[in-house]
Amino acid sequence: QRAYFKTTGAEKPIADILKESAKQNFQPLFRGTIPLMGHSLASALLGLAGQPKLQKYIKSELSQYGIGTFVSGLLASAAVTPIYVAVTNPLSRLEVIMQTSSIKGKPIGVMEACKEMVTDSKQFGLRGVFRGQGLGIAKGILSLTAFHQGRIWLTDAFRNHNISNGSYVPPVGSA
């Protein structure tokens, strides 16, 4: 889709993409999966594992000032999101480079995509890789906070429901 749009400016029907890629055992659909796996790993480590640990630490350190779960989550997200953006933006750029070659053409490998990214950064500087990320960071902070607050709310709701119907009895001395 990206390669077709890049050359023609028009969208290509999904059926046509599937027919073309079927001729090559659907291998063209897997272009860019190595950077995508790195992106997923960074997302899991920073967003799903790092943010809750940092939130717990912030809450323990700032609870004496009346900082609750929401504010500590917001602060943790504000710390994690810029790191996430700095790690994942180059990976997203690699994905795009690898996915913009024609299905019929030769695929662009990871090393070739890295070389193209280096060439781009020499020509445009790092602003080409990180363009428009101020808003992306703000959206990331809010969405990461909302995700974890929803997770916390659901966990509490299920725990309270299970306690009220007798399915779960909390250990003595637990909050």
Side-chain angles (χ1 to χ4, degrees):
Q1 184 68 282
R2 284 181 170 160
Y4 187 80
F5 188 77
K6 183 179 173 183
T7 56
T8 65
E11 290 182 11
K12 187 174 203 170
I14 292 175
D16 292 350
I17 294 170
L18 291 174
K19 285 176 191 171
E20 281 184 47
S21 63
K23 294 175 187 172
Q24 298 176 39
N25 294 326
F26 299 99
Q27 286 181 344
L29 299 180
F30 293 97
R31 293 178 184 170
T33 53
I34 291 173
L36 179 61
M37 288 186 289
H39 194 280
S40 297
L41 177 66
S43 181
L45 291 175
L46 292 168
L48 299 177
Q51 194 273 2
K53 287 185 180 206
L54 186 57
Q55 179 179 7
K56 187 176 182 180
Y57 174 76
I58 289 170
K59 187 174 179 183
S60 71
E61 292 294 316
L62 300 179
S63 62
Q64 63 190 351
Y65 300 108
I67 299 294
T69 304
F70 178 77
V71 173
S72 63
L74 196 59
L75 292 172
S77 295
V80 167
T81 301
I83 299 166
Y84 171 82
V85 168
V87 170
T88 58
N89 263 26
L91 293 170
S92 295
R93 180 73 180 114
L94 286 175
E95 285 175 55
V96 170
I97 291 169
M98 293 174 76
Q99 292 170 352
T100 51
S101 63
S102 170
I103 288 177
K104 295 173 185 170
K106 181 180 166 271
I108 298 173
V110 176
M111 294 309 294
E112 193 177 338
C114 288
K115 288 176 186 173
E116 187 171 329
M117 226 169 86
V118 168
T119 303
D120 284 353
S121 65
K122 284 179 183 175
Q123 185 176 358
F124 302 109
L126 288 179
R127 69 172 184 249
V129 177
F130 295 103
R131 181 177 44 225
Q133 287 311 304
L135 183 59
I137 289 172
K139 286 176 13 185
I141 291 168
L142 294 175
S143 64
L144 189 58
T145 302
F147 170 79
H148 284 292
Q149 286 305 121
R151 179 186 55 79
I152 291 166
W153 181 83
L154 283 171
T155 301
D156 290 346
F158 278 109
R159 183 185 307 113
N160 292 337
H161 173 75
N162 289 335
I163 290 170
S164 70
N165 72 11
S167 297
Y168 173 72
V169 178
V172 176
S174 67

